[in-house]
Amino acid sequence: MEIPPVVIDRLPLYTRALSSLQTEGRDVVSSQELGTRLGVTPAQIRKDLSYFGRFGKQGRGYNVQKLLDELHRILGLDRQWRMALVGVGKLGRAILGYEGFSPQGFRIVEAFDASPDRIGQRINSLIVKDTRDLENVLSKAPVDVGIVAVPAEFAQDVIDTLVKCGVRGILNYAPIAAHVPDGVHLKRIEPVLALQSMTYYLKSSPRPTITAARG
Amino acid sequence: MEIPPVVIDRLPLYTRALSSLQTEGRDVVSSQELGTRLGVTPAQIRKDLSYFGRFGKQGRGYNVQKLLDELHRILGLDRQWRMALVGVGKLGRAILGYEGFSPQGFRIVEAFDASPDRIGQRINSLIVKDTRDLENVLSKAPVDVGIVAVPAEFAQDVIDTLVKCGVRGILNYAPIAAHVPDGVHLKRIEPVLALQSMTYYLKSSPRPTITAARG
DNA sequence: AAGGGTTTGTGCTCACAATTACAAACTTCG
DNA sequence: CGAAGTTTGTAATTGTGAGCACAAACCCTT
Ligand SMILES: NC(=O)c1ccc[n+]([C@@H]2O[C@H](COP(=O)([O-])OP(=O)(O)OC[C@H]3O[C@@H](n4cnc5c(N)ncnc54)[C@H](O)[C@@H]3O)[C@@H](O)[C@H]2O)c1
Ligand SMILES: NC(=O)c1ccc[n+]([C@@H]2O[C@H](COP(=O)([O-])OP(=O)(O)OC[C@H]3O[C@@H](n4cnc5c(N)ncnc54)[C@H](O)[C@@H]3O)[C@@H](O)[C@H]2O)c1
């Protein structure tokens, strides 16, 4: 059975909410409550989950721990994922310093750059290596995912190189319509595109008058 | 007429490709070529554009400059957009230093933080101000969009404050399911969610053997 | 143990978005 | 100028996903 990609995209949302609930000490949650928290209809959640099995109990809801485990298994989050960062500029350094990846099992194990200024630099117990050594390094210690944070004009080349090294997942921050062969999975992070579609909705309605924020 | 949000989300892609073509000195482009570049079917592009008018010429294609102008007008990109950044940490500084916003008409005109270390600091000709002054500052000089780059636990509060200040667009980098009232438009940037759905596809197919990258 | 209250899982319906297909309009070239 | 070749815009069709509604299953209280 083929599962709709939109469904897959929603599952991580569910895991995140379930993690919160777990931290709050909750044992059980209904699709109703989960939906309210996430801004999704309860029916949508139940339908999504039903693609993979029957995880709930009627009259009760879902066991938080159990559903979390199931979703981790389904999404492949029950293991570590090795990642390589290419481009250690302003954004690249923020990504390297980001504490949000490792708790979810994503580890940046290599960092590459083309600039002599950056190569050899130590950032967070990681030595920045020369992009030209990318193939050699990754052939010895493969990674699952490549994070691309180089200027737009070099991004497609970097992606091609990563693909040649057997990387099957690309997280691309560069503002280009990148091309990857079948079997390679590409996700784009595009704040500018997000803003440019948002303005469509902002432009019509007027900026509201602000009730003076005194005191 | 109500235009499907997916259509609006694709328009910025078109503008970006058209800008490239313009730089390349091209006068005219067909939906065919545009589609190939973007990985979208030509019919999809024609259908999307037809929501807004008839911009092409049969047997010829679209005038690059004209279509670009039309799309800019449609999306509200024919003006400047004022933005405020909240959270000048690792990511926030990368955002402040990003050169990709202003060419598209997006200007960060204020930056706020809560930490005494950051407040008063000058970054790119911008003085970081105290979050507690956010309402006062924005009531005098309103912004259109708020960029949220604070830790997850403070994000909803920051968003609520921004909304109270009349901000109608939020670009949220914090990993939470934020809630905003009707009329406020929220876009999320979520690399971790992107990775967590990607692994669903990566987990099944095996890591390919690498054809030794010698020489 | 029985009944009232919850909540799941899913068949069904409806809405909408993608694709197809083609006439009409334009270009180019002989 | 006419014919062959392009390409648009859109009507019609297909495909797909979201929401509804309800039977079945379970909890809890008395
Ligand atoms: N900074 C942001 O907030 C932000 C936001 C969205 C997107 N982006 C995108 O991310 C990318 C990087 O942005 P940035 O602000 O960090 O730019 P930057 O100029 O600070 O960093 C780019 C880095 O890439 C390196 N580089 C160049 N060519 C390379 C190659 N072939 N291989 C390896 N490294 C190479 C450079 O040496 C530099 O260190 C750009 O495409 C940008 O559009 C940045
Ligand atoms: N760094 C990344 O690549 C990255 C990627 C994705 C998402 N994020 C998210 O972006 C946010 C920031 O990440 P970061 O790595 O820059 O963290 P960081 O700790 O470096 O920066 C957070 C900043 O926010 C400030 N702050 C805290 N509370 C505030 C408040 N109420 N008002 C104003 N400022 C406040 C802090 O003083 C600090 O300067 C986090 O939510 C993180 O999950 C970061």
Side-chain angles (χ1 to χ4, degrees), chain B residues 4 10 41 43-44 47 58:
Chain B
R10 275 191 298 266
T41 65
Q44 175 94 266
K47 188 93 181 280
Q58 281 146 332

mmCIF file with all atom_site columns, all heavy atoms in Angstrom, chain B residues 4 10 41 43-44 47 58, chain C residues 17-20 24-26:
data_model
loop_
_atom_site.group_PDB
_atom_site.id
_atom_site.type_symbol
_atom_site.label_atom_id
_atom_site.label_alt_id
_atom_site.label_comp_id
_atom_site.label_asym_id
_atom_site.label_entity_id
_atom_site.label_seq_id
_atom_site.pdbx_PDB_ins_code
_atom_site.Cartn_x
_atom_site.Cartn_y
_atom_site.Cartn_z
_atom_site.occupancy
_atom_site.B_iso_or_equiv
_atom_site.pdbx_formal_charge
_atom_site.auth_seq_id
_atom_site.auth_comp_id
_atom_site.auth_asym_id
_atom_site.auth_atom_id
_atom_site.pdbx_PDB_model_num
ATOM 1   N N     . PRO B 1 4  ? -6.679  28.582 -4.575  1.00 0.00 ? 4  PRO B N     1
ATOM 2   C CA    . PRO B 1 4  ? -6.122  27.536 -3.714  1.00 0.00 ? 4  PRO B CA    1
ATOM 3   C C     . PRO B 1 4  ? -4.745  27.922 -3.176  1.00 0.00 ? 4  PRO B C     1
ATOM 4   O O     . PRO B 1 4  ? -3.889  28.377 -3.946  1.00 0.00 ? 4  PRO B O     1
ATOM 5   C CB    . PRO B 1 4  ? -5.995  26.332 -4.655  1.00 0.00 ? 4  PRO B CB    1
ATOM 6   C CG    . PRO B 1 4  ? -6.976  26.585 -5.749  1.00 0.00 ? 4  PRO B CG    1
ATOM 7   C CD    . PRO B 1 4  ? -7.046  28.066 -5.902  1.00 0.00 ? 4  PRO B CD    1
ATOM 8   N N     . ARG B 1 10 ? 3.103   28.087 -5.089  1.00 0.00 ? 10 ARG B N     1
ATOM 9   C CA    . ARG B 1 10 ? 3.960   27.826 -6.246  1.00 0.00 ? 10 ARG B CA    1
ATOM 10  C C     . ARG B 1 10 ? 4.413   29.107 -6.953  1.00 0.00 ? 10 ARG B C     1
ATOM 11  O O     . ARG B 1 10 ? 5.456   29.130 -7.602  1.00 0.00 ? 10 ARG B O     1
ATOM 12  C CB    . ARG B 1 10 ? 3.245   26.903 -7.244  1.00 0.00 ? 10 ARG B CB    1
ATOM 13  C CG    . ARG B 1 10 ? 3.386   25.418 -6.940  1.00 0.00 ? 10 ARG B CG    1
ATOM 14  C CD    . ARG B 1 10 ? 2.888   24.582 -8.093  1.00 0.00 ? 10 ARG B CD    1
ATOM 15  N NE    . ARG B 1 10 ? 1.479   24.789 -8.359  1.00 0.00 ? 10 ARG B NE    1
ATOM 16  C CZ    . ARG B 1 10 ? 0.490   24.038 -7.853  1.00 0.00 ? 10 ARG B CZ    1
ATOM 17  N NH1   . ARG B 1 10 ? 0.782   23.030 -7.070  1.00 0.00 ? 10 ARG B NH1   1
ATOM 18  N NH2   . ARG B 1 10 ? -0.756  24.282 -8.146  1.00 0.00 ? 10 ARG B NH2   1
ATOM 19  N N     . THR B 1 41 ? 4.800   20.284 -14.046 1.00 0.00 ? 41 THR B N     1
ATOM 20  C CA    . THR B 1 41 ? 4.287   20.070 -15.391 1.00 0.00 ? 41 THR B CA    1
ATOM 21  C C     . THR B 1 41 ? 3.860   21.400 -16.008 1.00 0.00 ? 41 THR B C     1
ATOM 22  O O     . THR B 1 41 ? 3.372   22.290 -15.311 1.00 0.00 ? 41 THR B O     1
ATOM 23  C CB    . THR B 1 41 ? 3.072   19.124 -15.400 1.00 0.00 ? 41 THR B CB    1
ATOM 24  O OG1   . THR B 1 41 ? 1.994   19.746 -14.709 1.00 0.00 ? 41 THR B OG1   1
ATOM 25  C CG2   . THR B 1 41 ? 3.404   17.790 -14.760 1.00 0.00 ? 41 THR B CG2   1
ATOM 26  N N     . ALA B 1 43 ? 1.346   22.121 -17.820 1.00 0.00 ? 43 ALA B N     1
ATOM 27  C CA    . ALA B 1 43 ? -0.088  22.375 -17.644 1.00 0.00 ? 43 ALA B CA    1
ATOM 28  C C     . ALA B 1 43 ? -0.358  22.992 -16.280 1.00 0.00 ? 43 ALA B C     1
ATOM 29  O O     . ALA B 1 43 ? -1.212  23.869 -16.133 1.00 0.00 ? 43 ALA B O     1
ATOM 30  C CB    . ALA B 1 43 ? -0.866  21.078 -17.807 1.00 0.00 ? 43 ALA B CB    1
ATOM 31  N N     . GLN B 1 44 ? 0.367   22.513 -15.300 1.00 0.00 ? 44 GLN B N     1
ATOM 32  C CA    . GLN B 1 44 ? 0.206   23.045 -13.947 1.00 0.00 ? 44 GLN B CA    1
ATOM 33  C C     . GLN B 1 44 ? 0.497   24.537 -13.910 1.00 0.00 ? 44 GLN B C     1
ATOM 34  O O     . GLN B 1 44 ? -0.252  25.323 -13.335 1.00 0.00 ? 44 GLN B O     1
ATOM 35  C CB    . GLN B 1 44 ? 1.176   22.309 -13.025 1.00 0.00 ? 44 GLN B CB    1
ATOM 36  C CG    . GLN B 1 44 ? 1.225   22.826 -11.624 1.00 0.00 ? 44 GLN B CG    1
ATOM 37  C CD    . GLN B 1 44 ? 0.304   22.053 -10.741 1.00 0.00 ? 44 GLN B CD    1
ATOM 38  O OE1   . GLN B 1 44 ? -0.841  22.444 -10.525 1.00 0.00 ? 44 GLN B OE1   1
ATOM 39  N NE2   . GLN B 1 44 ? 0.756   20.933 -10.251 1.00 0.00 ? 44 GLN B NE2   1
ATOM 40  N N     . LYS B 1 47 ? -2.232  26.492 -15.788 1.00 0.00 ? 47 LYS B N     1
ATOM 41  C CA    . LYS B 1 47 ? -3.452  26.523 -14.966 1.00 0.00 ? 47 LYS B CA    1
ATOM 42  C C     . LYS B 1 47 ? -3.303  27.523 -13.826 1.00 0.00 ? 47 LYS B C     1
ATOM 43  O O     . LYS B 1 47 ? -4.205  28.336 -13.585 1.00 0.00 ? 47 LYS B O     1
ATOM 44  C CB    . LYS B 1 47 ? -3.712  25.123 -14.404 1.00 0.00 ? 47 LYS B CB    1
ATOM 45  C CG    . LYS B 1 47 ? -5.032  24.944 -13.687 1.00 0.00 ? 47 LYS B CG    1
ATOM 46  C CD    . LYS B 1 47 ? -6.097  24.441 -14.622 1.00 0.00 ? 47 LYS B CD    1
ATOM 47  C CE    . LYS B 1 47 ? -7.429  24.269 -13.959 1.00 0.00 ? 47 LYS B CE    1
ATOM 48  N NZ    . LYS B 1 47 ? -7.506  23.011 -13.196 1.00 0.00 ? 47 LYS B NZ    1
ATOM 49  N N     . GLN B 1 58 ? 0.001   32.570 -27.520 1.00 0.00 ? 58 GLN B N     1
ATOM 50  C CA    . GLN B 1 58 ? 0.038   31.244 -28.142 1.00 0.00 ? 58 GLN B CA    1
ATOM 51  C C     . GLN B 1 58 ? 1.109   31.176 -29.219 1.00 0.00 ? 58 GLN B C     1
ATOM 52  O O     . GLN B 1 58 ? 1.354   32.145 -29.920 1.00 0.00 ? 58 GLN B O     1
ATOM 53  C CB    . GLN B 1 58 ? -1.327  30.913 -28.740 1.00 0.00 ? 58 GLN B CB    1
ATOM 54  C CG    . GLN B 1 58 ? -2.319  30.458 -27.692 1.00 0.00 ? 58 GLN B CG    1
ATOM 55  C CD    . GLN B 1 58 ? -3.723  30.885 -27.983 1.00 0.00 ? 58 GLN B CD    1
ATOM 56  O OE1   . GLN B 1 58 ? -3.935  31.913 -28.635 1.00 0.00 ? 58 GLN B OE1   1
ATOM 57  N NE2   . GLN B 1 58 ? -4.688  30.114 -27.504 1.00 0.00 ? 58 GLN B NE2   1
ATOM 58  P P     . DA  C 2 17 ? -7.748  23.352 -4.467  1.00 0.00 ? 17 DA  C P     1
ATOM 59  O OP1   . DA  C 2 17 ? -7.547  24.179 -3.263  1.00 0.00 ? 17 DA  C OP1   1
ATOM 60  O OP2   . DA  C 2 17 ? -8.292  23.958 -5.692  1.00 0.00 ? 17 DA  C OP2   1
ATOM 61  O "O5'" . DA  C 2 17 ? -6.367  22.634 -4.795  1.00 0.00 ? 17 DA  C "O5'" 1
ATOM 62  C "C5'" . DA  C 2 17 ? -6.087  21.370 -4.223  1.00 0.00 ? 17 DA  C "C5'" 1
ATOM 63  C "C4'" . DA  C 2 17 ? -5.595  20.416 -5.282  1.00 0.00 ? 17 DA  C "C4'" 1
ATOM 64  O "O4'" . DA  C 2 17 ? -6.712  19.760 -5.933  1.00 0.00 ? 17 DA  C "O4'" 1
ATOM 65  C "C3'" . DA  C 2 17 ? -4.786  21.068 -6.393  1.00 0.00 ? 17 DA  C "C3'" 1
ATOM 66  O "O3'" . DA  C 2 17 ? -3.721  20.195 -6.686  1.00 0.00 ? 17 DA  C "O3'" 1
ATOM 67  C "C2'" . DA  C 2 17 ? -5.782  21.133 -7.548  1.00 0.00 ? 17 DA  C "C2'" 1
ATOM 68  C "C1'" . DA  C 2 17 ? -6.492  19.809 -7.335  1.00 0.00 ? 17 DA  C "C1'" 1
ATOM 69  N N9    . DA  C 2 17 ? -7.791  19.661 -7.980  1.00 0.00 ? 17 DA  C N9    1
ATOM 70  C C8    . DA  C 2 17 ? -8.823  20.545 -8.023  1.00 0.00 ? 17 DA  C C8    1
ATOM 71  N N7    . DA  C 2 17 ? -9.874  20.105 -8.679  1.00 0.00 ? 17 DA  C N7    1
ATOM 72  C C5    . DA  C 2 17 ? -9.501  18.843 -9.099  1.00 0.00 ? 17 DA  C C5    1
ATOM 73  C C6    . DA  C 2 17 ? -10.162 17.848 -9.841  1.00 0.00 ? 17 DA  C C6    1
ATOM 74  N N6    . DA  C 2 17 ? -11.396 17.996 -10.311 1.00 0.00 ? 17 DA  C N6    1
ATOM 75  N N1    . DA  C 2 17 ? -9.500  16.695 -10.094 1.00 0.00 ? 17 DA  C N1    1
ATOM 76  C C2    . DA  C 2 17 ? -8.255  16.562 -9.610  1.00 0.00 ? 17 DA  C C2    1
ATOM 77  N N3    . DA  C 2 17 ? -7.534  17.425 -8.897  1.00 0.00 ? 17 DA  C N3    1
ATOM 78  C C4    . DA  C 2 17 ? -8.219  18.549 -8.675  1.00 0.00 ? 17 DA  C C4    1
ATOM 79  P P     . DA  C 2 18 ? -2.403  20.748 -7.377  1.00 0.00 ? 18 DA  C P     1
ATOM 80  O OP1   . DA  C 2 18 ? -1.315  20.649 -6.392  1.00 0.00 ? 18 DA  C OP1   1
ATOM 81  O OP2   . DA  C 2 18 ? -2.734  22.025 -8.020  1.00 0.00 ? 18 DA  C OP2   1
ATOM 82  O "O5'" . DA  C 2 18 ? -2.142  19.650 -8.502  1.00 0.00 ? 18 DA  C "O5'" 1
ATOM 83  C "C5'" . DA  C 2 18 ? -2.033  18.300 -8.111  1.00 0.00 ? 18 DA  C "C5'" 1
ATOM 84  C "C4'" . DA  C 2 18 ? -2.306  17.415 -9.296  1.00 0.00 ? 18 DA  C "C4'" 1
ATOM 85  O "O4'" . DA  C 2 18 ? -3.694  17.530 -9.668  1.00 0.00 ? 18 DA  C "O4'" 1
ATOM 86  C "C3'" . DA  C 2 18 ? -1.485  17.741 -10.537 1.00 0.00 ? 18 DA  C "C3'" 1
ATOM 87  O "O3'" . DA  C 2 18 ? -0.854  16.555 -10.979 1.00 0.00 ? 18 DA  C "O3'" 1
ATOM 88  C "C2'" . DA  C 2 18 ? -2.517  18.295 -11.530 1.00 0.00 ? 18 DA  C "C2'" 1
ATOM 89  C "C1'" . DA  C 2 18 ? -3.798  17.615 -11.070 1.00 0.00 ? 18 DA  C "C1'" 1
ATOM 90  N N9    . DA  C 2 18 ? -5.034  18.357 -11.346 1.00 0.00 ? 18 DA  C N9    1
ATOM 91  C C8    . DA  C 2 18 ? -5.333  19.640 -10.974 1.00 0.00 ? 18 DA  C C8    1
ATOM 92  N N7    . DA  C 2 18 ? -6.533  20.035 -11.342 1.00 0.00 ? 18 DA  C N7    1
ATOM 93  C C5    . DA  C 2 18 ? -7.054  18.935 -11.994 1.00 0.00 ? 18 DA  C C5    1
ATOM 94  C C6    . DA  C 2 18 ? -8.300  18.713 -12.619 1.00 0.00 ? 18 DA  C C6    1
ATOM 95  N N6    . DA  C 2 18 ? -9.261  19.625 -12.677 1.00 0.00 ? 18 DA  C N6    1
ATOM 96  N N1    . DA  C 2 18 ? -8.502  17.500 -13.191 1.00 0.00 ? 18 DA  C N1    1
ATOM 97  C C2    . DA  C 2 18 ? -7.523  16.587 -13.114 1.00 0.00 ? 18 DA  C C2    1
ATOM 98  N N3    . DA  C 2 18 ? -6.314  16.681 -12.556 1.00 0.00 ? 18 DA  C N3    1
ATOM 99  C C4    . DA  C 2 18 ? -6.137  17.894 -12.001 1.00 0.00 ? 18 DA  C C4    1
ATOM 100 P P     . DT  C 2 19 ? 0.188   16.550 -12.166 1.00 0.00 ? 19 DT  C P     1
ATOM 101 O OP1   . DT  C 2 19 ? 1.249   15.573 -11.832 1.00 0.00 ? 19 DT  C OP1   1
ATOM 102 O OP2   . DT  C 2 19 ? 0.512   17.950 -12.486 1.00 0.00 ? 19 DT  C OP2   1
ATOM 103 O "O5'" . DT  C 2 19 ? -0.678  15.962 -13.358 1.00 0.00 ? 19 DT  C "O5'" 1
ATOM 104 C "C5'" . DT  C 2 19 ? -1.529  14.857 -13.097 1.00 0.00 ? 19 DT  C "C5'" 1
ATOM 105 C "C4'" . DT  C 2 19 ? -2.403  14.625 -14.301 1.00 0.00 ? 19 DT  C "C4'" 1
ATOM 106 O "O4'" . DT  C 2 19 ? -3.532  15.520 -14.288 1.00 0.00 ? 19 DT  C "O4'" 1
ATOM 107 C "C3'" . DT  C 2 19 ? -1.700  14.812 -15.656 1.00 0.00 ? 19 DT  C "C3'" 1
ATOM 108 O "O3'" . DT  C 2 19 ? -1.801  13.578 -16.342 1.00 0.00 ? 19 DT  C "O3'" 1
ATOM 109 C "C2'" . DT  C 2 19 ? -2.473  15.968 -16.311 1.00 0.00 ? 19 DT  C "C2'" 1
ATOM 110 C "C1'" . DT  C 2 19 ? -3.834  15.905 -15.601 1.00 0.00 ? 19 DT  C "C1'" 1
ATOM 111 N N1    . DT  C 2 19 ? -4.598  17.179 -15.494 1.00 0.00 ? 19 DT  C N1    1
ATOM 112 C C2    . DT  C 2 19 ? -5.910  17.222 -15.943 1.00 0.00 ? 19 DT  C C2    1
ATOM 113 O O2    . DT  C 2 19 ? -6.470  16.262 -16.436 1.00 0.00 ? 19 DT  C O2    1
ATOM 114 N N3    . DT  C 2 19 ? -6.549  18.438 -15.778 1.00 0.00 ? 19 DT  C N3    1
ATOM 115 C C4    . DT  C 2 19 ? -6.012  19.591 -15.222 1.00 0.00 ? 19 DT  C C4    1
ATOM 116 O O4    . DT  C 2 19 ? -6.688  20.598 -15.127 1.00 0.00 ? 19 DT  C O4    1
ATOM 117 C C5    . DT  C 2 19 ? -4.636  19.481 -14.779 1.00 0.00 ? 19 DT  C C5    1
ATOM 118 C C7    . DT  C 2 19 ? -3.992  20.669 -14.167 1.00 0.00 ? 19 DT  C C7    1
ATOM 119 C C6    . DT  C 2 19 ? -4.013  18.300 -14.932 1.00 0.00 ? 19 DT  C C6    1
ATOM 120 P P     . DT  C 2 20 ? -1.144  13.399 -17.775 1.00 0.00 ? 20 DT  C P     1
ATOM 121 O OP1   . DT  C 2 20 ? -0.615  12.018 -17.848 1.00 0.00 ? 20 DT  C OP1   1
ATOM 122 O OP2   . DT  C 2 20 ? -0.272  14.541 -18.046 1.00 0.00 ? 20 DT  C OP2   1
ATOM 123 O "O5'" . DT  C 2 20 ? -2.415  13.493 -18.723 1.00 0.00 ? 20 DT  C "O5'" 1
ATOM 124 C "C5'" . DT  C 2 20 ? -3.640  12.957 -18.261 1.00 0.00 ? 20 DT  C "C5'" 1
ATOM 125 C "C4'" . DT  C 2 20 ? -4.741  13.268 -19.255 1.00 0.00 ? 20 DT  C "C4'" 1
ATOM 126 O "O4'" . DT  C 2 20 ? -5.342  14.554 -18.959 1.00 0.00 ? 20 DT  C "O4'" 1
ATOM 127 C "C3'" . DT  C 2 20 ? -4.291  13.331 -20.719 1.00 0.00 ? 20 DT  C "C3'" 1
ATOM 128 O "O3'" . DT  C 2 20 ? -5.232  12.606 -21.480 1.00 0.00 ? 20 DT  C "O3'" 1
ATOM 129 C "C2'" . DT  C 2 20 ? -4.295  14.827 -21.027 1.00 0.00 ? 20 DT  C "C2'" 1
ATOM 130 C "C1'" . DT  C 2 20 ? -5.422  15.318 -20.137 1.00 0.00 ? 20 DT  C "C1'" 1
ATOM 131 N N1    . DT  C 2 20 ? -5.366  16.740 -19.711 1.00 0.00 ? 20 DT  C N1    1
ATOM 132 C C2    . DT  C 2 20 ? -6.497  17.508 -19.811 1.00 0.00 ? 20 DT  C C2    1
ATOM 133 O O2    . DT  C 2 20 ? -7.562  17.084 -20.248 1.00 0.00 ? 20 DT  C O2    1
ATOM 134 N N3    . DT  C 2 20 ? -6.366  18.800 -19.374 1.00 0.00 ? 20 DT  C N3    1
ATOM 135 C C4    . DT  C 2 20 ? -5.223  19.386 -18.862 1.00 0.00 ? 20 DT  C C4    1
ATOM 136 O O4    . DT  C 2 20 ? -5.225  20.560 -18.500 1.00 0.00 ? 20 DT  C O4    1
ATOM 137 C C5    . DT  C 2 20 ? -4.060  18.520 -18.786 1.00 0.00 ? 20 DT  C C5    1
ATOM 138 C C7    . DT  C 2 20 ? -2.791  19.065 -18.247 1.00 0.00 ? 20 DT  C C7    1
ATOM 139 C C6    . DT  C 2 20 ? -4.194  17.259 -19.206 1.00 0.00 ? 20 DT  C C6    1
ATOM 140 P P     . DA  C 2 24 ? -11.992 26.444 -32.510 1.00 0.00 ? 24 DA  C P     1
ATOM 141 O OP1   . DA  C 2 24 ? -13.349 26.996 -32.430 1.00 0.00 ? 24 DA  C OP1   1
ATOM 142 O OP2   . DA  C 2 24 ? -11.457 25.888 -33.767 1.00 0.00 ? 24 DA  C OP2   1
ATOM 143 O "O5'" . DA  C 2 24 ? -10.966 27.559 -31.999 1.00 0.00 ? 24 DA  C "O5'" 1
ATOM 144 C "C5'" . DA  C 2 24 ? -11.044 28.030 -30.667 1.00 0.00 ? 24 DA  C "C5'" 1
ATOM 145 C "C4'" . DA  C 2 24 ? -9.878  28.952 -30.418 1.00 0.00 ? 24 DA  C "C4'" 1
ATOM 146 O "O4'" . DA  C 2 24 ? -8.669  28.162 -30.246 1.00 0.00 ? 24 DA  C "O4'" 1
ATOM 147 C "C3'" . DA  C 2 24 ? -9.587  29.934 -31.561 1.00 0.00 ? 24 DA  C "C3'" 1
ATOM 148 O "O3'" . DA  C 2 24 ? -9.336  31.212 -31.006 1.00 0.00 ? 24 DA  C "O3'" 1
ATOM 149 C "C2'" . DA  C 2 24 ? -8.350  29.343 -32.236 1.00 0.00 ? 24 DA  C "C2'" 1
ATOM 150 C "C1'" . DA  C 2 24 ? -7.645  28.674 -31.067 1.00 0.00 ? 24 DA  C "C1'" 1
ATOM 151 N N9    . DA  C 2 24 ? -6.789  27.544 -31.409 1.00 0.00 ? 24 DA  C N9    1
ATOM 152 C C8    . DA  C 2 24 ? -7.063  26.518 -32.275 1.00 0.00 ? 24 DA  C C8    1
ATOM 153 N N7    . DA  C 2 24 ? -6.099  25.631 -32.367 1.00 0.00 ? 24 DA  C N7    1
ATOM 154 C C5    . DA  C 2 24 ? -5.117  26.105 -31.510 1.00 0.00 ? 24 DA  C C5    1
ATOM 155 C C6    . DA  C 2 24 ? -3.849  25.618 -31.158 1.00 0.00 ? 24 DA  C C6    1
ATOM 156 N N6    . DA  C 2 24 ? -3.315  24.501 -31.649 1.00 0.00 ? 24 DA  C N6    1
ATOM 157 N N1    . DA  C 2 24 ? -3.132  26.332 -30.271 1.00 0.00 ? 24 DA  C N1    1
ATOM 158 C C2    . DA  C 2 24 ? -3.663  27.454 -29.767 1.00 0.00 ? 24 DA  C C2    1
ATOM 159 N N3    . DA  C 2 24 ? -4.849  28.008 -30.019 1.00 0.00 ? 24 DA  C N3    1
ATOM 160 C C4    . DA  C 2 24 ? -5.536  27.278 -30.906 1.00 0.00 ? 24 DA  C C4    1
ATOM 161 P P     . DA  C 2 25 ? -9.076  32.454 -31.925 1.00 0.00 ? 25 DA  C P     1
ATOM 162 O OP1   . DA  C 2 25 ? -9.827  33.568 -31.312 1.00 0.00 ? 25 DA  C OP1   1
ATOM 163 O OP2   . DA  C 2 25 ? -9.269  32.063 -33.326 1.00 0.00 ? 25 DA  C OP2   1
ATOM 164 O "O5'" . DA  C 2 25 ? -7.522  32.737 -31.697 1.00 0.00 ? 25 DA  C "O5'" 1
ATOM 165 C "C5'" . DA  C 2 25 ? -7.031  32.899 -30.372 1.00 0.00 ? 25 DA  C "C5'" 1
ATOM 166 C "C4'" . DA  C 2 25 ? -5.528  32.950 -30.423 1.00 0.00 ? 25 DA  C "C4'" 1
ATOM 167 O "O4'" . DA  C 2 25 ? -5.020  31.647 -30.782 1.00 0.00 ? 25 DA  C "O4'" 1
ATOM 168 C "C3'" . DA  C 2 25 ? -4.953  33.923 -31.454 1.00 0.00 ? 25 DA  C "C3'" 1
ATOM 169 O "O3'" . DA  C 2 25 ? -3.959  34.694 -30.810 1.00 0.00 ? 25 DA  C "O3'" 1
ATOM 170 C "C2'" . DA  C 2 25 ? -4.373  33.029 -32.538 1.00 0.00 ? 25 DA  C "C2'" 1
ATOM 171 C "C1'" . DA  C 2 25 ? -3.995  31.796 -31.733 1.00 0.00 ? 25 DA  C "C1'" 1
ATOM 172 N N9    . DA  C 2 25 ? -3.934  30.544 -32.475 1.00 0.00 ? 25 DA  C N9    1
ATOM 173 C C8    . DA  C 2 25 ? -4.868  30.024 -33.329 1.00 0.00 ? 25 DA  C C8    1
ATOM 174 N N7    . DA  C 2 25 ? -4.539  28.861 -33.842 1.00 0.00 ? 25 DA  C N7    1
ATOM 175 C C5    . DA  C 2 25 ? -3.302  28.586 -33.298 1.00 0.00 ? 25 DA  C C5    1
ATOM 176 C C6    . DA  C 2 25 ? -2.414  27.500 -33.431 1.00 0.00 ? 25 DA  C C6    1
ATOM 177 N N6    . DA  C 2 25 ? -2.657  26.439 -34.207 1.00 0.00 ? 25 DA  C N6    1
ATOM 178 N N1    . DA  C 2 25 ? -1.265  27.548 -32.730 1.00 0.00 ? 25 DA  C N1    1
ATOM 179 C C2    . DA  C 2 25 ? -1.028  28.608 -31.957 1.00 0.00 ? 25 DA  C C2    1
ATOM 180 N N3    . DA  C 2 25 ? -1.784  29.687 -31.734 1.00 0.00 ? 25 DA  C N3    1
ATOM 181 C C4    . DA  C 2 25 ? -2.915  29.618 -32.442 1.00 0.00 ? 25 DA  C C4    1
ATOM 182 P P     . DC  C 2 26 ? -3.578  36.124 -31.419 1.00 0.00 ? 26 DC  C P     1
ATOM 183 O OP1   . DC  C 2 26 ? -3.474  37.059 -30.289 1.00 0.00 ? 26 DC  C OP1   1
ATOM 184 O OP2   . DC  C 2 26 ? -4.463  36.429 -32.556 1.00 0.00 ? 26 DC  C OP2   1
ATOM 185 O "O5'" . DC  C 2 26 ? -2.118  35.846 -31.975 1.00 0.00 ? 26 DC  C "O5'" 1
ATOM 186 C "C5'" . DC  C 2 26 ? -1.098  35.584 -31.036 1.00 0.00 ? 26 DC  C "C5'" 1
ATOM 187 C "C4'" . DC  C 2 26 ? -0.068  34.649 -31.619 1.00 0.00 ? 26 DC  C "C4'" 1
ATOM 188 O "O4'" . DC  C 2 26 ? -0.665  33.465 -32.172 1.00 0.00 ? 26 DC  C "O4'" 1
ATOM 189 C "C3'" . DC  C 2 26 ? 0.736   35.233 -32.778 1.00 0.00 ? 26 DC  C "C3'" 1
ATOM 190 O "O3'" . DC  C 2 26 ? 1.942   35.814 -32.299 1.00 0.00 ? 26 DC  C "O3'" 1
ATOM 191 C "C2'" . DC  C 2 26 ? 1.024   34.007 -33.663 1.00 0.00 ? 26 DC  C "C2'" 1
ATOM 192 C "C1'" . DC  C 2 26 ? 0.366   32.859 -32.929 1.00 0.00 ? 26 DC  C "C1'" 1
ATOM 193 N N1    . DC  C 2 26 ? -0.210  31.847 -33.850 1.00 0.00 ? 26 DC  C N1    1
ATOM 194 C C2    . DC  C 2 26 ? 0.524   30.684 -34.098 1.00 0.00 ? 26 DC  C C2    1
ATOM 195 O O2    . DC  C 2 26 ? 1.623   30.538 -33.550 1.00 0.00 ? 26 DC  C O2    1
ATOM 196 N N3    . DC  C 2 26 ? 0.028   29.744 -34.950 1.00 0.00 ? 26 DC  C N3    1
ATOM 197 C C4    . DC  C 2 26 ? -1.166  29.944 -35.521 1.00 0.00 ? 26 DC  C C4    1
ATOM 198 N N4    . DC  C 2 26 ? -1.612  28.982 -36.337 1.00 0.00 ? 26 DC  C N4    1
ATOM 199 C C5    . DC  C 2 26 ? -1.935  31.111 -35.277 1.00 0.00 ? 26 DC  C C5    1
ATOM 200 C C6    . DC  C 2 26 ? -1.427  32.029 -34.447 1.00 0.00 ? 26 DC  C C6    1
#
